[in-house]
Amino acid sequence: VVEVLNPVRSAGRNPLFQVMLTLRHEILDGVDLGGASAVPELGDDLDVAKFDVSIGFETGPGGLRGRLGYASDLFDEGTARRIGDVLVRVLEQAARDVDVAPHEIDVLSERERAAVRGWNATEREVPDLTVAGVFEEHVRRSPDAVAVVFGGERVTYAELDARANRLARYLVECGAIRGEVVGVLLERGVELAVAVLAAAKAGTPYLLLDPGFPDERLRSLAGDAGVRVVLTRGEWAERVPAPQRPVCVDTDAEAIACLPGTVPGVAVDPADGMCVMFTSGSTGRPKGVLTPHRAVVGTFWGQDFADLGSDQVWLQCAPVSWDGFVLEFWGALLSGASCVLQPERSPEPDRIASLVCGEGVTTLWLSAGLLNLMVDEYPQVFAGVRQVMTGGEAPSAEHLRRFRETFPDVRLVHGYGPAEAVVFTNAVTLTAVPEGRIPVGGPLANKRCFVLDERLRPLPPGMVGEVYVAGVGLAHGYLGQPVATAERFLPDPFGGSGGRMYRTGDLGRWTGDGELVVVGRADAQVKIRGFRIEPGEVENALTALPHVSAGAVVVREDRPGEKRLVGYTVLTDQAASEHGVEGVALRSALAEVLPEYMVPSAVVVLDRLPLTPNGKVDRRALPEPDFGELSSGRAPRDAREDALCGLFAELLGLGSVTIDDSFFDLGGHSLLAARLITRLRSSHGVELTLKDLFRAPTVAELAHKVSQAAPVRRARPKLSRRTRAGVRL
């Protein structure tokens, strides 16, 4: 059986099952001990765990008795006892009613049911407001407080409000209609801040279009969202064609400036759409999450998962197309705090360090991978902040412990939540880092979280089920995709009439203290470097390429802690015989249609895809990509190129690299690229950015960049805390 099924092998586990139940009948019948008294006892063969869980039952004159054994490196005693309690509860119900169906047996005790209800008793009285309404209240209270910082520009709440009011009026004049999505194609900066606030005031949900995305991707997203008006610059006006004339913040600047800076007076309701965020789709089509004002305001108003005081200074460095933008930008502006905008598209560790020091940043959101990098390469950054939030994927316990030991006074928040529920539904402040998986805490105020079985019934602590979330942060659904919305946004059986809950697809369990622990996925969706990716969407793009007859995309973790997307493809007969298409070329073609974070680290060309006996692709049989085989080109010509080849090879885990090899074709990605930039700064004393590496990805090209790069700026002063006066609403 093992040979046919070919399961993943491990020396520490039985390959077929990990839970064993045995039953021995009437073991004392007919035993004569010569008049000596005897008491039946279960054997001690469970003292050493042969399986994850072993349950042994014996029948005798006293009835049915059992004993549960467990692997202590997987379960603690409390969890094992809860498993035993559930088993006893199931057997008691079955004994009372022999006709009860297995799915009708209740595994939850009354005490556990009350505990789950208590963990979700998060109701809190808060006003029902729009994003613009909350922002305008801060304008009235503190008009001269700094709202946005970008480079040398500092914009107060009053100034930002007036500029957004003018742009909102202009949007309406140009045909933007309340409820219709406005595309925003701008680089990060003050104009972007004005644009999203103006859209909120005009009642038009904004869709942030990352200028770094391929044009085909931008057009696809805008088309799916029904965008009629695009806010952009004149030079990009043709990148996203729309029915209405584009609104260009540069060429239309004079006309915009002539309009009144007072509130435009558009009637906007808290239930109206406020923004659209696209996530990867399993069918090959991205899904646009339509989020209302109420959900965004409710995620920050009246919450205590972090210090949301007006004296905080937030850094906004997450990609603008990501839901991290909502946390960093609106978390600041809905709190009356300041938001510092990082110039580059993606988080730049060196720039983060500079801004924390130079602008007095106190609040950071860092994805788990970026937090690891900062702890490794820039630990001094955290000496200057008050709180750090992380999440997006399973964090590294080792890095969290190092952070906690080195910076005991910095608040460390671990949060969880899908874009469909606005950034966080659960959060916990980590005063210590526990062993095993790191919990994500209980639900936030006015949000709820459930761990349910396949029949939507609550499960007791310790039992793994699917995670559902509900409450104030829920999105309306997927824009223009009613079927996908109906599949994921379900009626809430635990809330009031008309309530809904979102099926996250995550698997999780409750701890005895009411904290959620996420343990995996119920589907193929993955998180890579904080980005949510459906391999099916990437696979769809791969098989749509010319010369490709079949393909598959999988997530591999050949190096511990480093997940990578890898594509596998079979070429058409004609392409295989005539064109000699290589994986590097196919990867480059994917980069023309997919954003950088969705492009596989490698595309491997195979003669055929391996199949299981039932004809499906055998994903476990797909070979590990050999990035060393992709290396081809010239040897280093001087000491600088030789050093860069060594640096490439070290970070990519390869034996050697040539000067014509692309960092990204050999498996590099944005976080590894950030490490490379950091190493170049220390070893070569030059200032480079991720943009430089994306434009010059080979050793030969990068060596030329290094020769022309500016020297490292003077050493930064020691980071220290800064305080600012402010009020808290």
Side-chain angles (χ1 to χ4, degrees):
V1 173
V2 174
E3 290 177 357
V4 172
L5 295 179
N6 191 27
V8 177
R9 309 295 181 89
S10 169
R13 310 183 74 185
N14 185 295
L16 289 182
F17 61 90
Q18 287 78 47
V19 177
M20 185 175 192
L21 186 146
T22 59
L23 175 63
R24 291 186 284 186
H25 294 282
E26 306 293 345
I27 60 173
L28 294 182
D29 278 9
V31 177
D32 184 1
L33 299 179
S37 61
V39 177
E41 292 286 349
L42 291 173
D44 61 359
D45 58 331
L46 297 178
D47 289 344
V48 177
K50 300 181 179 66
F51 308 100
D52 294 355
V53 176
S54 300
I55 302 167
F57 285 111
E58 292 181 353
T59 62
L64 182 68
R65 301 179 309 130
R67 181 178 179 184
L68 183 146
Y70 61 93
S72 58
D73 57 344
L74 296 178
F75 304 100
D76 57 27
E77 182 177 342
T79 300
R81 288 189 179 278
R82 284 196 294 273
I83 294 173
D85 290 342
V86 171
L87 179 57
V88 170
R89 198 176 304 132
V90 168
L91 294 175
E92 288 176 342
Q93 292 179 65
R96 284 195 301 268
D97 183 359
V98 295
D99 295 323
V100 66
H103 69 263
E104 294 174 342
I105 295 177
D106 193 351
V107 299
L108 219 62
S109 71
E110 284 304 317
R111 185 167 60 86
E112 290 169 336
R113 193 180 307 280
V116 172
R117 283 197 300 266
W119 299 334
N120 278 299
T122 61
E123 296 80 5
R124 187 176 299 176
E125 277 296 326
V126 294
D128 194 20
L129 301 169
T130 65
V131 164
V134 174
F135 179 84
E136 288 159 6
E137 179 61 26
H138 288 301
V139 173
R140 285 189 286 273
R141 293 186 180 213
S142 306
D144 298 326
V146 175
V148 172
V149 177
F150 182 73
E153 193 172 0
R154 280 166 165 69
V155 183
T156 67
Y157 271 80
E159 292 167 343
L160 184 61
D161 187 57
R163 292 175 64 171
N165 287 336
R166 294 188 184 97
L167 182 55
R169 290 175 179 275
Y170 194 72
L171 279 172
V172 174
E173 286 187 4
C174 291
I177 300 173
R178 175 186 171 189
E180 290 190 349
V181 180
V182 167
V184 179
L185 179 60
L186 293 169
E187 291 182 323
R188 193 179 353 244
V190 173
E191 294 294 354
L192 179 69
V194 173
V196 295
L197 181 56
K201 287 171 173 283
T204 55
Y206 66 79
L207 167 63
L208 288 176
L209 299 166
D210 192 326
F213 283 5
D215 286 359
E216 183 175 335
R217 180 77 172 186
L218 296 177
R219 289 191 291 269
S220 173
L221 297 181
D224 284 351
V227 168
R228 296 175 64 252
V229 177
V230 177
L231 253 170
T232 186
R233 295 189 176 279
E235 61 184 304
W236 291 336
E238 300 302 318
R239 294 187 67 185
V240 185
Q244 299 291 118
R245 180 182 73 83
V247 175
C248 300
V249 296
D250 48 358
T251 57
D252 294 341
E254 186 175 343
I256 296 170
C258 292
L259 295 174
T262 54
V263 175
V266 179
V268 183
D269 189 88
D272 286 351
M274 183 260 186
C275 65
V276 175
M277 296 175 284
F278 272 89
T279 69
S280 187
S282 58
T283 63
R285 178 185 175 189
K287 297 180 293 188
V289 181
L290 178 60
T291 300
H293 285 255
R294 178 180 294 136
V296 177
V297 172
T299 296
F300 303 107
W301 194 274
Q303 300 289 356
D304 58 6
F305 64 88
D307 184 344
L308 299 175
S310 59
D311 60 333
Q312 296 288 341
V313 181
W314 295 61
L315 177 65
Q316 201 289 293
C317 63
V320 296
S321 61
W322 200 22
D323 58 350
F325 174 86
V326 174
L327 174 62
E328 296 171 329
F329 184 79
W330 293 115
L333 267 59
L334 295 181
S335 304
S338 296
C339 184
V340 177
L341 306 176
Q342 180 201 274
E344 287 78 18
R345 287 184 55 242
S346 302
E348 292 267 7
D350 185 62
R351 186 58 64 91
I352 290 173
S354 297
L355 292 173
V356 168
C357 177
E359 302 295 348
V361 171
T362 62
T363 299
L364 287 175
W365 151 255
L366 302 172
S367 66
L370 183 56
L371 176 67
N372 295 348
L373 190 153
M374 299 301 290
V375 169
D376 288 339
E377 307 286 352
Y378 291 88
Q380 71 277 10
V381 166
F382 302 114
V385 301
R386 300 182 204 166
Q387 55 189 2
V388 174
M389 291 171 278
T390 190
E393 57 187 322
S396 161
E398 176 196 350
H399 286 85
L400 292 181
R401 290 192 185 98
R402 284 162 52 192
F403 178 99
R404 191 71 290 157
E405 292 169 0
T406 310
F407 307 101
D409 297 328
V410 179
R411 184 172 186 170
L412 178 60
V413 178
H414 184 213
Y416 162 81
E420 289 84 349
V422 186
V423 188
F424 286 163
T425 60
N426 298 57
V428 60
T429 296
L430 295 175
T431 55
V433 181
E435 297 293 332
R437 294 183 181 271
I438 311 300
V440 296
L444 306 186
N446 296 316
K447 300 193 178 191
R448 290 173 291 130
C449 180
F450 310 103
V451 178
L452 308 178
D453 65 12
E454 66 276 5
R455 294 179 180 270
L456 303 185
R457 297 178 305 180
L459 292 172
M463 188 172 289
V464 173
E466 194 162 354
V467 179
Y468 292 74
V469 295
V472 71
L474 225 56
H476 284 322
Y478 300 118
L479 195 63
Q481 299 192 45
V483 174
T485 298
E487 288 175 348
R488 287 293 183 178
F489 292 84
L490 309 177
D492 180 3
F494 313 105
S497 176
R500 300 174 309 139
M501 62 181 184
Y502 173 70
R503 180 184 182 185
T504 67
D506 288 319
L507 298 176
R509 58 178 171 80
W510 290 113
T511 68
D513 298 327
E515 294 188 336
L516 179 69
V517 177
V518 179
V519 301
R521 287 289 300 180
D523 54 23
Q525 189 185 103
V526 293
K527 281 285 190 79
I528 297 181
R529 303 189 299 280
F531 291 97
R532 198 167 109 185
I533 299 173
E534 291 275 7
E537 183 179 353
V538 184
E539 192 169 294
N540 187 67
L542 177 61
T543 55
L545 294 177
H547 314 310
V548 172
S549 66
V553 173
V554 301
V555 178
R556 303 189 65 100
E557 193 172 351
D558 299 309
R559 296 170 65 177
E562 188 173 321
K563 294 180 180 178
R564 300 173 187 246
L565 277 181
V566 178
Y568 297 87
T569 185
V570 177
L571 301 179
T572 62
D573 292 340
Q574 182 178 1
S577 61
E578 297 179 8
H579 299 283
V581 178
E582 296 182 348
V584 171
L586 294 174
R587 185 183 179 279
S588 298
L590 286 176
E592 295 296 321
V593 297
L594 294 174
E596 177 271 331
Y597 65 87
M598 293 180 68
V599 177
S601 295
V603 175
V604 180
V605 178
L606 302 174
D607 294 332
R608 62 180 180 83
L609 294 176
L611 302 177
T612 63
N614 61 4
K616 294 184 178 181
V617 175
D618 188 352
R619 297 177 183 271
R620 288 180 301 179
L622 292 168
E624 178 182 350
D626 187 348
F627 290 101
E629 285 187 354
L630 301 177
S631 176
S632 61
R634 296 168 293 171
R637 297 167 296 185
D638 55 36
R640 179 181 288 124
E641 289 184 345
D642 186 61
L644 289 177
C645 283
L647 195 51
F648 271 40
E650 177 190 349
L651 290 174
L652 296 170
L654 300 175
S656 62
V657 170
T658 76
I659 67 170
D660 299 308
D661 291 326
S662 166
F663 184 79
F664 301 103
D665 286 341
L666 296 183
H669 51 71
S670 57
L671 284 180
L672 275 179
R675 288 188 184 273
L676 177 62
I677 296 300
T678 299
R679 300 289 178 85
L680 285 173
R681 189 178 190 278
S682 60
S683 62
H684 288 70
V686 293
E687 296 284 3
L688 291 174
T689 67
L690 286 177
K691 184 184 295 185
D692 293 323
L693 181 57
F694 277 104
R695 289 177 174 173
T698 68
V699 168
E701 294 168 324
L702 190 61
H704 181 65
K705 284 274 187 185
V706 169
S707 68
Q708 297 182 323
V712 171
R713 298 184 295 272
R714 64 182 178 83
R716 301 185 185 91
K718 183 179 179 181
L719 295 171
S720 59
R721 298 188 185 280
R722 292 188 180 185
T723 58
R724 300 168 68 242
V727 295
R728 187 172 188 175
L729 294 178

